[in-house]
Amino acid sequence: MNIIDENIIKNQCQLLKSWRIPFRQIGLNIGTQGITDKGIITLLHNSQRPTFFTRDDDFFNRSLCHSKYCIVYLAVNKEESAIFIRRFLRHKAFNTKVKRLGCIVRVTHSGISVWRINVHELEYFLWS
């Protein structure tokens, strides 16, 4: 399940829908509006293998690695969020839930940085 933070703007959600990328958005169809970061982590623990997309850099934190979910911090312009969500979901290193679980990810124009559970070094991937 893809979960989109409430900080992803409406037109970007509409783009994801038009591309048939399934998601639930915090405050609309999952969780409550204004939920705390700690509340989001609890929500992820109680969801079925979620990938959580946010523009909040507090989530790019190695200590948040967990085998039950993936967190993706989008370090791009708010108007580019949907494009980079789609690019990330199509990247050969992350194109299945199994490949994403246990990862804390930062997505930028230049590539992808990843903290993985039980790995002590940051990994880097370029866009294909």
Side-chain angles (χ1 to χ4, degrees), residues 7-119:
N7 63 20
I8 306 296
I9 58 178
K10 187 175 183 177
N11 70 340
Q12 296 301 292
C13 293
Q14 291 169 338
L15 263 177
L16 293 171
K17 285 179 186 177
S18 73
W19 295 330
R20 296 182 178 165
I21 296 174
F23 68 90
R24 292 183 180 171
Q25 188 167 24
I26 298 284
L28 290 179
N29 25 38
I30 192 167
T32 58
Q33 194 168 21
I35 190 172
T36 64
D37 291 356
K38 189 174 181 176
I40 289 173
I41 296 301
T42 301
L43 180 72
L44 296 177
H45 280 282
N46 295 322
S47 298
Q48 194 76 350
R49 298 184 301 174
T51 299
F52 174 62
F53 294 93
T54 184
R55 297 191 64 248
D56 183 349
D57 64 350
D58 290 343
F59 284 100
F60 188 67
N61 183 333
R62 183 173 162 229
S63 69
L64 296 176
C65 284
H66 195 281
S67 61
K68 288 191 72 169
Y69 59 74
C70 170
I71 296 175
V72 180
Y73 160 53
L74 301 165
V76 296
N77 184 292
K78 64 183 176 182
E79 296 290 338
E80 301 173 309
S81 298
I83 292 166
F84 280 92
I85 289 171
R86 182 169 68 169
R87 276 183 93 179
F88 173 75
L89 291 171
R90 290 180 173 181
H91 193 282
K92 67 181 179 178
F94 304 99
N95 58 4
T96 68
K97 287 180 186 180
V98 172
K99 291 178 182 179
R100 294 190 298 264
L101 290 178
C103 295
I104 304 295
V105 179
R106 179 178 52 216
V107 169
T108 66
H109 285 270
S110 59
I112 302 168
S113 305
V114 182
W115 289 113
R116 291 189 192 270
I117 196 165
N118 300 323
V119 177

